[in-house]
Amino acid sequence: MSAVLPSPADSTPASRRPIRELPDELISQIAAGEVVERPASVVRELVDNALDAGARQITVRLLAGGVRLISVEDDGQGIPASELPVALRRHATSKIASLYELETVGTMGFRGEALAAINSIAELVLHSRTADMHGGGDTTAWSLDGRSGELKPVARAVGTTVEVRELFFATPARRKFLKTDATELAHCLEAVRRHALARPDVGFAVWHEGKLVEQWRPSASTEARLADAIGEDFVTRSVTVDHRVGAVRVTGRAGIPDAARSRGDQQFFYVNGRFVRDKVLSHAVRSAYEDVLHGQRQPVYALYLEIDPARVDVNVHPTKIEVRFRDGREVHQAVRHAIENALAAPRAGQGVNAPLAEAATPLPAFETKDPAPMRPWSQPAMQFVASERLGLGDSAAMWPTRAYERPSAVAPFFDTPSPSLPPTNIPATAKPQVPSDGETWPLGRALAQLQGVYILAENAQGLVIVDMHAAHERIVYERLKTQLEGASIGSQPLLIPATFAATPQEVATAEACAAVLPALGMEITPFSPKTLAVRAVPSTLADGDPVELARSVLAELALHDASTVVQRAQNELLGTMACHGAVRANRKLTLDEMNALLRQMEATERSDQCNHGRPTWRQVTLRDLDALFLRGR
Ligand code: ADP
Ligand code: MG
């Protein structure tokens, strides 16, 4: 390699050198630069190969996070001795032979680059044995040393082991970029996990420094593998996705909004079995969660897209982690609808209602036997006349109805008045079909505030518990959204501008976004080079802390491109703003204020959930309460 590197004297323009073809080894090293970033990249390529060879069990052994050794052993079909040297050659592949095959490739690899590239930057040894099926296979195993080219017989079962030692030994600069062994190990594990989630039928084991660190046995279903390789939680807090439009099918699991995380570390997307990171796909997922997830929160998911291989190009990136769809819009829609449908689908006996399930523990009757479809992660929407009058009624179609709308479901409990409570003490519920004025409100009449967090209210069915902050946040959010859709958010100038010491980033964002801030009802101007002044805030949020609001809006704006931010990041922005405008826990509310909040909830679209996807209220029915006290049994 050193022979072709220019010495400083050579590289002066005066001494032009003739055009030459690069030597093979250097070409492979250049290719390695694209394919092999760190040990995990090698793991990925070797596991790809093992899966292509039909392995049922793959064992990865690592030393020093993979830097000193990566060994991947499989029980696949093996490589005949005569082909071992070919396997290490550049552009040598058994997987495609024609352009037609390239367009419909079904294997993980096809570029014939990985082994050659790895061999050029590490010490590679191949051990392999093919099955002796018709006497044509190898009766012994062979090993090939990638450096010396020495081929010698060894003992091993059918399958292949690739050993890669001293990665980047020839390129110490790259080796320096590697992180600690623990970090590299984590990346290697993630590489194996990505494969494992696509192939539940294959067993995987990872050893580090002689210790077994992960093991996933072959399992019958994707669900089982997901539970095994990500965690039980992932499965219990997600819903099944299964959606087909035309030739596109999307399956897998989508996390409930409540399961969203601060990091996008549980987002797995596969296209025809290949793990990908793709803008079209992630945007489609994002938009499906748009209205139930606050900006920074990352949904969790494991989704599998199946599509005619001819409609997707997997050969656009050396590591094949990116793809290009012939019809991006078709795929975008399919993915978006798949998730939206899944999140809106009936619960159908899936154990996904984590928040409710917790609440249900002390309240056995909480688990309604009501066959009405339920939104999986929260209570079904309340239905209210007001919304229909306001033209917001399409929520009725989207959101299923609940038991209390059919008074017959609760009526039997009032036929047998309890001996200790005179019937008159159960207001209006004795005749649930004809409620008196106060009880026509779906969320009832406020009774009290509990621990500064919850509002307790009484309606015809029993007790309503409202998460005050979450509910108010949704109301503010929807109000801001309606205003913004109208034109711009109503603004209120501050009599005395609120100034604050700003970071250079905040000052820069305020300047770059000076034109879009008014649409958000805000005015933030430089006061001094290091100080910003908040001069106006949305009138809806006038009671909040203007500096905190300004800071978080600027932080949100900084994440986006200034010119289009209001269109693209609307929901995130409004979510951030709403969070600041909403009543804080521990604020004492009067009964009137509580009732006002309940009425606003009833008149607000989607107020069943805060914009982080958590429920804003729960109904505890008299039946639930009776069960608590073992009454009427
Ligand atoms: P590609 O996977 O793109 O074909 P590679 O350089 O990764 O290129 O591998 C070259 C060839 O070596 C493969 O096409 C395959 O025939 C063979 N090969 C590599 N690894 C294995 C394995 N674990 N089992 C069987 N054959 C393998
Ligand atoms: Mg390969």
Side-chain angles (χ1 to χ4, degrees):
M1 172 183 168
S2 51
V4 294
L5 282 179
S7 74
D10 279 353
S11 56
T12 56
S15 60
R16 182 187 177 278
R17 295 188 300 176
I19 299 173
R20 268 180 285 166
E21 282 187 64
L22 294 173
D24 263 11
E25 163 125 40
L26 182 58
I27 296 175
S28 290
Q29 284 168 334
I30 292 170
E34 294 185 304
V35 183
V36 184
E37 186 193 345
R38 56 181 0 143
S41 330
V42 173
V43 171
R44 182 193 59 227
E45 293 292 339
L46 299 183
V47 175
D48 267 358
N49 282 347
L51 290 172
D52 282 346
R56 313 301 303 171
Q57 175 64 43
I58 299 174
T59 304
V60 179
R61 292 187 178 82
L62 306 165
L63 292 177
V67 180
R68 284 196 36 228
L69 170 75
I70 298 164
S71 148
V72 175
E73 177 185 341
D74 68 56
D75 56 359
Q77 64 192 10
I79 309 171
S82 60
E83 291 181 22
L84 280 174
V86 190
L88 296 186
R89 247 177 257 153
R90 228 159 28 84
H91 304 312
T93 179
S94 58
K95 296 166 193 174
I96 56 165
S98 69
L99 191 59
Y100 168 75
E101 285 182 12
L102 176 62
E103 288 194 339
T104 56
V105 61
T107 48
M108 304 299 284
F110 54 80
R111 296 166 67 114
E113 258 170 2
L115 290 186
I118 296 164
N119 188 40
S120 75
I121 52 162
E123 295 166 12
L124 187 150
V125 180
L126 273 175
H127 307 260
S128 198
R129 177 173 178 172
T130 56
D132 187 10
M133 276 160 42
H134 309 290
D138 293 322
T139 50
T140 177
W142 293 87
S143 105
L144 173 71
D145 183 319
R147 289 277 114 184
S148 65
E150 187 191 350
L151 191 65
K152 60 178 186 215
V154 289
R156 66 154 288 146
V158 170
T160 303
T161 302
V162 183
E163 282 172 15
V164 177
R165 283 176 209 278
E166 304 301 334
L167 191 61
F168 301 134
F169 75 93
T171 48
R174 301 219 39 183
R175 200 161 175 157
K176 281 210 198 89
F177 278 106
L178 296 176
K179 300 281 185 325
T180 61
D181 290 359
T183 304
E184 296 305 332
L185 169 64
H187 284 285
C188 292
L189 283 170
E190 194 56 20
V192 181
R193 180 176 289 112
R194 287 174 180 176
H195 281 104
L197 297 182
R199 292 296 303 272
D201 56 318
V202 176
F204 292 85
V206 183
W207 297 74
H208 187 241
E209 302 286 345
K211 287 199 208 69
L212 183 64
V213 287
E214 284 289 6
Q215 180 167 37
W216 303 308
R217 297 180 197 286
S219 39
S221 72
T222 300
E223 265 74 26
R225 175 55 59 84
L226 287 169
D228 211 10
I230 310 182
E232 291 284 347
D233 235 31
F234 179 88
V235 177
T236 53
R237 309 225 293 160
S238 59
V239 290
T240 304
V241 175
D242 193 350
H243 184 75
R244 182 196 286 274
V245 218
V248 183
R249 183 166 184 219
V250 187
T251 58
R253 298 194 73 84
I256 59 175
D258 213 24
R261 298 160 71 83
S262 55
R263 294 194 304 141
D265 57 344
Q266 294 189 357
Q267 302 182 334
F268 302 90
F269 215 117
Y270 297 83
V271 173
N272 292 342
R274 188 189 298 281
F275 178 88
V276 297
R277 286 225 180 276
D278 177 83
K279 288 215 178 77
V280 171
L281 298 176
S282 48
H283 186 271
V285 176
R286 191 76 236 173
S287 48
Y289 278 98
E290 187 166 69
D291 241 6
V292 288
L293 220 52
H294 177 50
Q296 297 329 354
R297 304 289 293 166
Q298 298 287 339
V300 305
Y301 54 84
L303 296 167
Y304 305 83
L305 182 94
E306 287 158 61
I307 184 170
D308 176 355
R311 298 182 72 77
V312 53
D313 187 355
V314 291
N315 190 26
V316 292
H317 191 271
T319 68
K320 308 176 221 81
I321 195 163
E322 286 169 17
V323 291
R324 191 179 298 133
F325 296 106
R326 195 189 284 175
D327 185 349
R329 179 182 303 225
E330 169 194 44
V331 172
H332 189 280
Q333 277 189 358
V335 170
R336 179 178 178 156
H337 288 156
I339 300 171
E340 284 175 349
N341 291 352
L343 291 176
R347 184 159 53 146
Q350 296 188 46
V352 296
N353 196 336
L356 185 55
E358 274 156 36
T361 322
L363 294 173
F366 223 65
E367 291 227 20
T368 172
K369 306 284 180 301
D370 175 32
M374 302 254 300
R375 239 175 122 98
W377 65 87
S378 123
Q379 79 277 48
M382 52 191 156
Q383 299 235 302
F384 38 84
V385 190
S387 78
E388 256 121 62
R389 270 210 306 273
L390 291 169
L392 307 172
D394 66 334
S395 62
M398 276 171 58
W399 300 70
T401 57
R402 59 184 298 115
Y404 73 62
E405 280 143 341
R406 291 184 303 284
S408 58
V410 278
F413 282 87
F414 310 112
D415 294 345
T416 49
S418 86
S420 51
L421 275 180
T424 47
N425 278 15
I426 310 170
T429 49
K431 287 182 284 177
Q433 334 263 358
V434 197
S436 72
D437 265 7
E439 274 62 44
T440 55
W441 296 317
L443 293 177
R445 180 167 59 84
L447 299 174
Q449 197 178 3
L450 183 70
Q451 301 281 350
V453 176
Y454 298 106
I455 293 171
L456 306 183
E458 174 184 46
N459 68 357
Q461 290 65 47
L463 178 67
V464 171
I465 308 174
V466 174
D467 179 335
M468 171 176 114
H469 174 75
H472 196 223
E473 193 172 320
R474 188 65 183 201
I475 291 168
V476 175
Y477 173 82
E478 292 292 336
R479 193 182 295 157
L480 292 172
K481 197 168 161 180
T482 311
Q483 289 181 6
L484 191 57
E485 275 158 13
S488 62
I489 293 174
S491 181
Q492 178 167 319
L494 299 180
L495 282 180
I496 305 162
T499 56
F500 63 101
T503 65
Q505 157 91 300
E506 287 170 334
V507 175
T509 311
E511 279 171 358
C513 297
V516 304
L517 283 166
L520 299 171
M522 300 212 52
E523 193 186 337
I524 307 172
T525 55
F527 193 71
S528 78
K530 288 181 176 177
T531 317
L532 287 174
V534 190
R535 297 181 184 276
V537 294
S539 18
T540 305
L541 306 178
D543 293 339
D545 176 344
V547 171
E548 253 186 63
L549 175 67
R551 281 225 152 102
S552 37
V553 167
L554 290 175
E556 190 75 52
L557 286 170
L559 298 172
H560 306 278
D561 170 38
S563 53
T564 55
V565 64
V566 177
Q567 290 87 33
R568 288 187 306 115
Q570 212 193 74
N571 299 308
E572 286 90 334
L573 274 164
L574 299 186
T576 300
M577 294 168 77
C579 188
H580 282 275
V583 281
R584 299 278 142 181
N586 292 323
R587 211 183 97 193
K588 281 265 170 289
L589 298 185
T590 65
L591 277 180
D592 283 347
E593 285 174 317
M594 290 184 234
N595 277 316
L597 183 68
L598 296 176
R599 303 295 81 78
Q600 285 175 348
M601 286 175 70
E602 287 159 0
T604 301
E605 210 176 350
R606 290 185 287 268
S607 64
D608 288 353
Q609 291 182 305
C610 75
N611 35 315
H612 307 89
R614 287 190 295 273
T616 55
W617 66 282
R618 294 258 183 229
Q619 174 87 57
V620 182
T621 64
L622 285 175
R623 186 198 286 255
D624 299 328
L625 291 170
D626 285 343
L628 253 185
F629 294 98
L630 312 173
R631 291 181 54 158
R633 309 251 140 179

